[in-house]
Coordinates of all heavy atoms in Angstrom, one line a residue:
T31 N 18.1 5.7 -46.7 CA 16.8 5.6 -47.3 C 17.0 4.6 -48.5 O 18.0 4.5 -49.1 CB 16.3 6.9 -47.9 OG1 17.2 7.4 -48.8 CG2 16.1 7.9 -46.8
M32 N 15.9 3.9 -48.8 CA 15.8 2.9 -49.9 C 14.5 3.0 -50.5 O 13.5 3.2 -49.8 CB 16.1 1.5 -49.4 CG 17.5 1.2 -49.0 SD 17.7 -0.4 -48.3 CE 16.8 -0.3 -46.8
T33 N 14.4 2.9 -51.8 CA 13.1 2.8 -52.5 C 13.2 1.6 -53.5 O 14.3 1.2 -53.9 CB 12.8 4.1 -53.2 OG1 13.8 4.3 -54.2 CG2 12.7 5.2 -52.3
G34 N 12.1 1.1 -53.8 CA 12.0 0.0 -54.8 C 10.6 -0.4 -55.1 O 9.7 0.1 -54.6
E35 N 10.5 -1.2 -56.1 CA 9.2 -1.8 -56.5 C 9.4 -3.2 -57.0 O 10.5 -3.5 -57.5 CB 8.5 -0.9 -57.5 CG 9.3 -0.6 -58.8 CD 8.5 0.3 -59.7 OE1 8.1 1.4 -59.3 OE2 8.5 0.0 -60.9
I36 N 8.4 -4.0 -56.8 CA 8.4 -5.4 -57.3 C 7.1 -5.8 -57.8 O 6.0 -5.6 -57.2 CB 8.9 -6.3 -56.1 CG1 9.0 -7.7 -56.5 CG2 8.0 -6.2 -54.9 CD1 9.7 -8.6 -55.6
P37 N 7.1 -6.3 -59.0 CA 5.8 -6.8 -59.6 C 5.5 -8.2 -59.0 O 6.4 -9.0 -58.9 CB 6.1 -6.8 -61.1 CG 7.5 -6.9 -61.2 CD 8.2 -6.3 -60.0
L38 N 4.2 -8.4 -58.7 CA 3.8 -9.7 -58.1 C 2.7 -10.2 -59.0 O 1.8 -9.5 -59.3 CB 3.4 -9.5 -56.7 CG 4.5 -8.9 -55.7 CD1 3.8 -8.4 -54.4 CD2 5.5 -10.0 -55.5
E39 N 2.7 -11.5 -59.2 CA 1.7 -12.1 -60.0 C 0.6 -12.6 -59.2 O 0.3 -13.8 -59.0 CB 2.3 -13.3 -60.8 CG 3.3 -12.8 -61.9 CD 3.9 -13.9 -62.7 OE1 3.3 -15.0 -62.7 OE2 5.0 -13.7 -63.2
A40 N -0.1 -11.7 -58.5 CA -1.3 -12.0 -57.7 C -2.2 -10.8 -57.6 O -1.7 -9.6 -57.8 CB -0.9 -12.5 -56.3
K41 N -3.5 -11.0 -57.3 CA -4.4 -9.9 -57.2 C -4.0 -9.1 -55.9 O -3.4 -9.6 -55.0 CB -5.8 -10.4 -57.1 CG -6.3 -11.0 -58.3 CD -7.8 -11.3 -58.2 CE -8.2 -11.8 -59.6 NZ -9.7 -12.0 -59.6
R42 N -4.3 -7.8 -56.0 CA -4.0 -6.9 -54.8 C -4.5 -7.4 -53.5 O -3.8 -7.3 -52.5 CB -4.5 -5.5 -55.1 CG -3.8 -4.5 -54.3 CD -4.3 -3.1 -54.5 NE -4.8 -2.7 -55.8 CZ -5.2 -1.5 -56.1 NH1 -5.3 -0.6 -55.2 NH2 -5.6 -1.2 -57.3
E43 N -5.7 -8.0 -53.5 CA -6.3 -8.5 -52.2 C -5.5 -9.6 -51.7 O -5.3 -9.8 -50.4 CB -7.7 -8.9 -52.5 CG -8.7 -7.8 -52.7 CD -8.6 -7.2 -54.1 OE1 -8.0 -7.8 -55.0 OE2 -9.1 -6.1 -54.3
V44 N -4.9 -10.5 -52.6 CA -4.1 -11.6 -52.1 C -2.8 -11.1 -51.5 O -2.3 -11.5 -50.5 CB -3.8 -12.6 -53.3 CG1 -2.8 -13.6 -52.9 CG2 -5.1 -13.2 -53.8
V45 N -2.1 -10.1 -52.2 CA -0.9 -9.5 -51.7 C -1.2 -8.8 -50.4 O -0.4 -9.0 -49.4 CB -0.3 -8.5 -52.8 CG1 0.9 -7.8 -52.2 CG2 0.0 -9.2 -54.1
W46 N -2.3 -8.1 -50.3 CA -2.6 -7.4 -49.0 C -2.7 -8.4 -47.9 O -2.2 -8.2 -46.8 CB -3.9 -6.6 -49.2 CG -4.4 -6.0 -48.0 CD1 -5.4 -6.3 -47.1 CD2 -3.8 -4.8 -47.4 NE1 -5.5 -5.5 -46.1 CE2 -4.5 -4.5 -46.2 CE3 -2.8 -3.9 -47.7 CZ2 -4.2 -3.4 -45.4 CZ3 -2.5 -2.9 -46.9 CH2 -3.2 -2.6 -45.7
A47 N -3.4 -9.5 -48.1 CA -3.6 -10.6 -47.1 C -2.2 -11.1 -46.6 O -2.0 -11.3 -45.4 CB -4.5 -11.7 -47.6
K48 N -1.3 -11.3 -47.6 CA 0.0 -11.8 -47.2 C 0.8 -10.8 -46.4 O 1.6 -11.1 -45.5 CB 0.8 -12.2 -48.5 CG 0.2 -13.3 -49.3 CD 0.7 -14.6 -48.9 CE 0.2 -15.7 -49.8 NZ 0.1 -17.0 -49.2
L49 N 0.7 -9.5 -46.8 CA 1.3 -8.4 -46.0 C 0.9 -8.3 -44.6 O 1.5 -7.7 -43.8 CB 1.1 -7.1 -46.7 CG 2.0 -6.7 -47.9 CD1 1.6 -5.4 -48.6 CD2 3.5 -6.6 -47.5
N50 N -0.3 -8.9 -44.3 CA -0.9 -8.8 -43.0 C -0.9 -10.1 -42.2 O -1.5 -10.2 -41.2 CB -2.3 -8.2 -43.1 CG -2.3 -6.7 -43.4 OD1 -2.1 -5.9 -42.5 ND2 -2.4 -6.4 -44.7
D51 N -0.2 -11.1 -42.8 CA -0.1 -12.4 -42.2 C 1.2 -12.6 -41.4 O 2.3 -12.6 -42.0 CB -0.2 -13.5 -43.3 CG -0.2 -14.9 -42.7 OD1 0.3 -15.1 -41.6 OD2 -0.7 -15.8 -43.5
P52 N 1.1 -12.6 -40.1 CA 2.4 -12.7 -39.3 C 3.3 -13.9 -39.7 O 4.5 -13.7 -39.7 CB 1.9 -12.8 -37.9 CG 0.5 -12.2 -37.9 CD 0.0 -12.5 -39.2
S53 N 2.7 -15.0 -40.0 CA 3.5 -16.2 -40.4 C 4.3 -15.9 -41.7 O 5.4 -16.3 -41.8 CB 2.7 -17.5 -40.4 OG 1.7 -17.4 -41.5
V54 N 3.7 -15.2 -42.6 CA 4.3 -14.9 -43.9 C 5.4 -13.9 -43.6 O 6.6 -14.0 -44.1 CB 3.3 -14.4 -44.9 CG1 4.1 -13.8 -46.2 CG2 2.4 -15.4 -45.4
L55 N 5.1 -12.9 -42.8 CA 6.1 -11.8 -42.5 C 7.3 -12.4 -41.8 O 8.5 -12.1 -42.1 CB 5.5 -10.7 -41.7 CG 4.5 -9.9 -42.4 CD1 3.8 -8.9 -41.5 CD2 5.0 -9.2 -43.6
K56 N 7.1 -13.3 -40.8 CA 8.2 -14.0 -40.1 C 9.1 -14.7 -41.0 O 10.3 -14.7 -40.9 CB 7.6 -14.9 -39.0 CG 8.7 -15.6 -38.2 CD 8.2 -16.5 -37.2 CE 9.3 -17.2 -36.5 NZ 8.9 -18.4 -35.8
A57 N 8.5 -15.5 -42.0 CA 9.3 -16.3 -42.9 C 10.1 -15.4 -43.9 O 11.1 -15.8 -44.4 CB 8.3 -17.2 -43.7
C58 N 9.6 -14.2 -44.1 CA 10.3 -13.3 -45.1 C 11.3 -12.4 -44.5 O 12.2 -11.9 -45.2 CB 9.2 -12.4 -45.8 SG 8.1 -13.4 -46.8
I59 N 11.2 -12.0 -43.2 CA 12.1 -11.1 -42.6 C 13.5 -11.8 -42.3 O 13.5 -12.9 -41.6 CB 11.6 -10.6 -41.2 CG1 10.3 -9.7 -41.5 CG2 12.6 -9.7 -40.5 CD1 9.6 -9.4 -40.2
P60 N 14.6 -11.4 -42.9 CA 15.9 -12.0 -42.7 C 16.2 -12.1 -41.2 O 16.2 -11.1 -40.5 CB 16.8 -11.1 -43.5 CG 16.0 -10.4 -44.5 CD 14.7 -10.2 -43.8
G61 N 16.6 -13.3 -40.8 CA 17.0 -13.6 -39.4 C 15.9 -13.6 -38.4 O 16.2 -13.6 -37.2
C62 N 14.7 -13.5 -38.8 CA 13.6 -13.4 -37.8 C 13.4 -14.7 -37.1 O 13.2 -15.8 -37.7 CB 12.3 -13.0 -38.5 SG 10.9 -12.6 -37.3
E63 N 13.5 -14.7 -35.8 CA 13.3 -15.8 -34.9 C 11.9 -15.9 -34.3 O 11.3 -16.9 -34.1 CB 14.3 -15.9 -33.8 CG 15.7 -16.1 -34.3 CD 16.8 -16.2 -33.2 OE1 16.5 -15.7 -32.1 OE2 17.9 -16.6 -33.5
E64 N 11.3 -14.7 -34.1 CA 10.0 -14.6 -33.4 C 9.3 -13.4 -34.0 O 9.9 -12.3 -34.3 CB 10.1 -14.4 -31.9 CG 10.7 -15.6 -31.2 CD 10.7 -15.3 -29.7 OE1 9.8 -14.6 -29.1 OE2 11.7 -15.7 -29.0
L65 N 8.0 -13.5 -34.2 CA 7.1 -12.4 -34.6 C 5.8 -12.7 -34.0 O 5.1 -13.6 -34.4 CB 7.0 -12.2 -36.1 CG 6.2 -11.0 -36.5 CD1 7.0 -9.7 -36.2 CD2 6.0 -11.0 -38.0
N66 N 5.5 -12.0 -32.9 CA 4.3 -12.3 -32.1 C 3.4 -11.1 -32.1 O 3.8 -9.9 -32.0 CB 4.6 -12.6 -30.7 CG 5.6 -13.8 -30.6 OD1 5.3 -14.9 -31.1 ND2 6.7 -13.6 -29.9
V67 N 2.1 -11.3 -32.3 CA 1.1 -10.3 -32.3 C 0.9 -9.9 -30.8 O 0.6 -10.8 -29.9 CB -0.3 -10.8 -32.9 CG1 -1.3 -9.7 -32.7 CG2 -0.1 -11.2 -34.3
I68 N 1.0 -8.6 -30.5 CA 0.8 -8.1 -29.1 C -0.3 -7.2 -29.0 O -0.7 -6.8 -27.9 CB 2.1 -7.5 -28.5 CG1 2.6 -6.3 -29.4 CG2 3.2 -8.6 -28.4 CD1 3.7 -5.6 -28.8
G69 N -0.9 -6.8 -30.1 CA -2.1 -5.9 -30.1 C -2.6 -5.7 -31.5 O -2.0 -6.3 -32.4
E70 N -3.6 -4.9 -31.6 CA -4.1 -4.7 -33.0 C -3.0 -3.9 -33.8 O -2.6 -2.8 -33.4 CB -5.4 -3.9 -32.9 CG -6.1 -3.7 -34.3 CD -7.4 -3.0 -34.2 OE1 -7.9 -2.8 -33.1 OE2 -7.9 -2.7 -35.3
N71 N -2.6 -4.5 -34.9 CA -1.6 -4.0 -35.8 C -0.3 -3.7 -35.1 O 0.5 -2.8 -35.4 CB -2.1 -2.7 -36.4 CG -3.4 -2.9 -37.2 OD1 -3.5 -3.9 -37.9 ND2 -4.4 -2.0 -37.0
E72 N 0.1 -4.5 -34.1 CA 1.3 -4.4 -33.4 C 1.9 -5.7 -33.1 O 1.3 -6.7 -32.7 CB 1.1 -3.6 -32.1 CG 2.3 -3.1 -31.4 CD 2.0 -2.2 -30.2 OE1 0.9 -2.1 -29.8 OE2 3.0 -1.6 -29.8
F73 N 3.3 -5.8 -33.3 CA 4.0 -7.0 -33.2 C 5.2 -6.8 -32.4 O 5.8 -5.7 -32.3 CB 4.4 -7.6 -34.6 CG 3.3 -7.7 -35.6 CD1 3.1 -6.6 -36.4 CD2 2.6 -8.8 -35.7 CE1 2.1 -6.7 -37.4 CE2 1.6 -8.9 -36.7 CZ 1.3 -7.9 -37.5
E74 N 5.7 -7.9 -31.8 CA 7.0 -7.9 -31.1 C 7.9 -8.9 -31.9 O 7.4 -10.0 -32.3 CB 6.8 -8.4 -29.7 CG 7.9 -8.1 -28.7 CD 7.5 -8.4 -27.3 OE1 7.1 -9.5 -27.0 OE2 7.5 -7.4 -26.5
A75 N 9.1 -8.5 -32.2 CA 9.9 -9.3 -33.0 C 11.3 -9.5 -32.4 O 11.8 -8.7 -31.6 CB 10.1 -8.6 -34.4
V76 N 11.9 -10.6 -32.8 CA 13.3 -10.9 -32.4 C 14.0 -11.4 -33.7 O 13.5 -12.3 -34.4 CB 13.4 -12.0 -31.4 CG1 14.9 -12.4 -31.1 CG2 12.7 -11.6 -30.1

Side-chain angles (χ1 to χ4, degrees):
T31 60
M32 291 176 285
T33 60
E35 57 184 46
I36 183 165
L38 301 165
E39 294 181 22
K41 292 186 178 188
R42 198 180 328 178
E43 291 76 14
V44 172
V45 175
W46 178 257
K48 298 265 188 211
L49 277 174
N50 287 279
D51 182 337
S53 63
V54 171
L55 294 175
K56 180 183 178 197
C58 295
I59 297 169
C62 189
E63 294 181 342
E64 293 179 37
L65 185 67
N66 302 307
V67 177
I68 58 171
E70 188 174 348
N71 303 317
E72 195 170 10
F73 308 91
E74 200 168 59
V76 176

